[in-house]
Amino acid sequence: MIYKVYYQENALEVPVRENTKSLYLEAEDVREVREKLQDRGYNIEYIQLLEGNYLEYEQASEHYKLENL
């Protein structure tokens, strides 16, 4: 399954919407996503499962790049 992760790069700073970034990750479930990103020190705001038409839409975006962890 493909997940889109919304995060802030520094978990110690107050989250600011304009600084929110996203990445795409393949994992079996949300727990595995969190385990894969644990060592990066991100402040994870939201993890969204992408499937169906929404996945196709995201894949068509120029910003779509699947992370290999």
Side-chain angles (χ1 to χ4, degrees):
M1 292 186 264
I2 307 291
Y3 290 89
K4 184 174 184 178
V5 180
Y6 297 91
Y7 68 95
Q8 302 278 323
E9 287 188 331
N10 190 344
L12 301 176
E13 293 180 4
V14 175
V16 177
R17 177 176 289 173
E18 291 79 17
N19 295 337
T20 298
K21 298 183 179 179
S22 63
L23 62 85
Y24 302 91
L25 191 65
E26 187 170 5
E28 290 297 316
D29 55 21
V30 173
R31 183 176 176 183
E32 185 179 345
V33 171
R34 290 189 180 278
E35 288 174 0
K36 287 183 174 186
L37 296 175
Q38 184 175 11
D39 63 336
R40 293 193 179 190
Y42 291 159
N43 178 10
I44 297 174
E45 294 180 17
Y46 185 65
I47 300 173
Q48 179 180 16
L49 174 63
L50 300 178
E51 56 189 354
N53 291 337
Y54 193 68
L55 176 58
E56 291 175 21
Y57 174 80
E58 290 289 335
Q59 288 173 332
S61 168
E62 64 185 50
H63 302 290
Y64 181 83
K65 180 182 173 226
L66 194 61
E67 294 281 327
N68 292 320
L69 299 178

